[in-house]
Amino acid sequence: MPERNYQICKCCVMDTSDDDIVFDNNGVCMRCNEYKERILPKWNYGKGHEKELSTLLSEIKRKGKRKKYDCILGLSGGLDSSYMLHMAVKEWGLRPFVFHIDAGWNLPVAKNNIKKLTSKLGVKLHIEKLDWNEMREMQLAWFRTGLEMLDAPQDHAFIALIDKYSRKLGVKYILNGYNISTEIIADPASWEKGSGPTGDGTYMKDVIKKYCSIPIRNYTFTSGIRHKVIMPYVYGVKTLKLLNLIPVTRQQMIEVLGKEYGYIAYGQKHFEDLITKFLEGWWQPTRFGHDIRRAQLSSLVVTGQMTRDRALQILEQPPLSEEESKKIFKEVARKLEISEKELMEFYRLPKCTEKFKSQEKIYNIGIRMFEILGAEKRIRK
């Protein structure tokens, strides 16, 4: 197959680092066109959803009236989940069960942000501390695969624990901080080749079986069928993305959280976590040539929060400086209890061509159905 000539979208900053990107005759990518045709008309920048939001809030409060909590909120310390907590408690008067997963990778700035928010809002923070020996071994297992997307051990645990807490507490509403304003464009599917869906326990267990050197006994698993079908349609648990129902921008979130709680922004999305900062700030851009900022910045460009020229200026500089990269490389090797030489050996592995068991086909059918029904508010390509 001949190498493709480089091309970048005339509207956003997505480019041919995504093998599957398609441009129209005007040089505009399929994501920008989908945003204008499918997303924007119904979203309308969060305006005009007052009645829908009011109805949902009333429903949450009514069904949670005799319970200690009326909803569940997973707090990573990132911008979106933090703003979701602020709105839920201070603006809407909800009583969320707030939980945080400590997978051993939290950065001090994130810990401080979480503490400041929960303390001032007066909510109890439930910390789920994962077994570090297992998490360390699982993270090493994903490095051993040669795959690009290596955040699966943390990401899957988050989804699985949401399901677990919902059943345990009998709470029917999960508040998800996802929002069109900052996340409308997902990471390209072509960057995830070989990986299974994040919530796919089949994929997780297959990698663990093939690449973990110790048994994984304390980790919590879920499945796509359980999370996407059984939880909502059998147990009646609804995942709500309420930030899509209000006008909000990334800058507004930063300013409100900074003023109200002394919240410190991380500079780049997902940089509240050491391993994710390492993977997205250095590993993926240098090993695979994929800069996740393209999707993040393109989300801001298409929603009118940033000019394309400004996004291009940002992309001229690497996510992390050479000094920062060297420092974080050392920290990750130390944390994983391996030498820097061993970590570099992972970096030099051939790209993964192995096939892992997964329910990807079922996931894709489900996503397509949700798109048709108007329930999927993210551009996934």
Side-chain angles (χ1 to χ4, degrees):
M1 185 176 178
E3 187 174 339
R4 189 176 186 182
N5 290 332
Y6 181 78
Q7 188 173 352
I8 185 169
C9 178
K10 299 291 186 182
C11 177
C12 68
V13 292
M14 297 303 293
D15 65 0
T16 42
S17 63
D18 171 17
D19 295 337
D20 300 330
I21 196 168
V22 176
F23 301 94
D24 65 17
N25 292 333
N26 296 315
V28 176
C29 77
M30 76 284 200
R31 292 182 178 85
C32 289
N33 287 324
E34 183 176 351
Y35 169 74
K36 292 171 186 174
E37 295 166 10
R38 183 172 73 87
I39 303 296
L40 183 56
K42 291 183 179 179
W43 175 50
N44 191 30
Y45 302 100
K47 300 172 185 176
H49 301 284
E50 293 83 3
K51 185 176 180 180
E52 180 184 356
L53 176 61
S54 178
T55 299
L56 284 171
L57 293 176
S58 296
E59 186 179 314
I60 294 170
K61 292 174 181 178
R62 178 175 59 82
K63 290 191 176 181
K65 196 170 184 179
R66 293 180 178 84
K67 298 175 182 177
K68 186 174 182 179
Y69 306 102
D70 52 23
C71 55
I72 295 173
L73 191 155
L75 181 64
S76 69
L79 183 64
D80 302 318
S81 65
S82 296
Y83 194 75
M84 180 79 257
L85 178 62
H86 160 76
M87 291 300 298
V89 177
K90 186 165 185 180
E91 301 297 329
W92 298 330
L94 298 178
R95 297 176 288 109
F97 174 88
V98 181
F99 79 93
H100 172 75
I101 294 178
D102 180 359
W105 293 104
N106 285 346
L107 289 170
V109 63
K111 292 181 181 180
N112 290 334
N113 278 341
I114 290 170
K115 183 177 181 180
K116 286 185 282 190
L117 259 81
T118 53
S119 294
K120 187 167 182 181
L121 288 170
V123 297
K124 182 177 179 181
L125 178 65
H126 301 81
I127 298 177
E128 184 82 18
K129 191 174 180 62
L130 303 186
D131 184 309
W132 173 246
N133 286 331
E134 290 189 356
M135 286 303 298
R136 172 184 169 274
E137 180 58 29
M138 287 175 69
Q139 190 64 69
L140 286 170
W142 258 261
F143 273 112
R144 292 170 187 139
T145 65
L147 289 167
E148 177 170 359
M149 296 300 176
L150 304 181
D151 258 343
Q154 289 191 94
D155 291 346
H156 185 86
F158 182 80
I159 296 171
L161 286 167
I162 285 177
D163 292 346
K164 172 186 170 182
Y165 282 132
S166 178
R167 291 295 297 138
K168 181 179 179 180
L169 299 169
V171 175
K172 300 295 184 182
Y173 298 93
I174 296 167
L175 303 188
N176 188 314
Y178 166 78
N179 62 96
I180 293 170
S181 184
T182 66
E183 302 179 283
I184 183 56
I185 295 177
D187 305 341
S190 68
W191 296 2
E192 302 175 9
K193 286 178 181 175
S195 299
T198 301
D200 183 0
T202 299
Y203 161 65
M204 298 293 296
K205 291 174 182 178
D206 197 35
V207 175
I208 288 169
K209 179 181 178 181
K210 292 175 178 176
Y211 286 96
C212 278
S213 60
I214 64 171
I216 305 301
R217 297 193 176 100
N218 301 311
Y219 188 84
T220 302
F221 294 94
T222 189
S223 69
I225 297 296
R226 179 176 177 78
H227 187 69
K228 296 289 188 180
V229 179
I230 295 176
M231 294 301 291
Y233 298 109
V234 176
Y235 297 131
V237 177
K238 296 181 181 180
T239 297
L240 303 177
K241 300 168 183 177
L242 300 182
L243 295 185
N244 288 333
L245 304 181
I246 60 173
V248 67
T249 65
R250 179 179 180 275
Q251 190 57 38
Q252 287 172 349
M253 291 186 198
I254 292 172
E255 289 175 359
V256 168
L257 293 177
K259 180 180 178 181
E260 293 283 341
Y261 311 100
Y263 182 93
I264 297 175
Y266 306 107
Q268 183 170 317
K269 198 175 186 66
H270 303 146
F271 271 18
E272 66 269 17
D273 174 283
L274 177 63
I275 189 65
T276 306
K277 184 174 183 178
F278 172 66
L279 294 173
E280 296 185 359
W282 184 78
W283 188 274
Q284 283 178 244
T286 61
R287 175 163 152 77
F288 296 94
H290 299 153
D291 191 338
I292 200 170
R293 293 179 302 170
R294 289 197 177 275
Q296 296 168 356
L297 294 171
S298 290
S299 292
L300 300 180
V301 171
V302 299
T303 56
Q305 300 175 66
M306 179 181 289
T307 66
R308 181 174 179 274
D309 286 344
R310 176 56 185 149
L312 289 171
Q313 286 176 354
I314 293 172
L315 290 169
E316 288 176 358
Q317 299 299 320
L320 297 174
S321 68
E322 185 176 352
E323 183 181 350
E324 288 177 304
S325 299
K326 288 179 179 178
K327 181 181 178 182
I328 200 170
F329 188 94
K330 291 177 182 290
E331 289 177 356
V332 169
R334 179 188 60 77
K335 186 74 177 174
L336 289 172
E337 300 173 34
I338 61 175
S339 68
E340 292 176 44
K341 180 181 177 182
E342 288 175 286
L343 184 55
M344 185 56 73
E345 286 173 356
F346 289 142
Y347 181 83
R348 292 173 178 150
L349 281 174
K351 294 178 183 178
C352 181
T353 57
E354 186 173 359
K355 300 292 183 182
F356 296 100
K357 295 177 183 178
S358 80
Q359 299 175 336
E360 187 173 8
K361 290 183 179 179
I362 296 173
Y363 267 81
N364 290 339
I365 291 171
I367 288 172
R368 182 57 185 149
M369 287 178 60
F370 286 138
E371 286 178 347
I372 293 170
L373 295 170
E376 176 56 60
K377 305 295 185 184
R378 197 171 194 189
I379 298 174
R380 300 177 183 274
K381 297 292 183 185

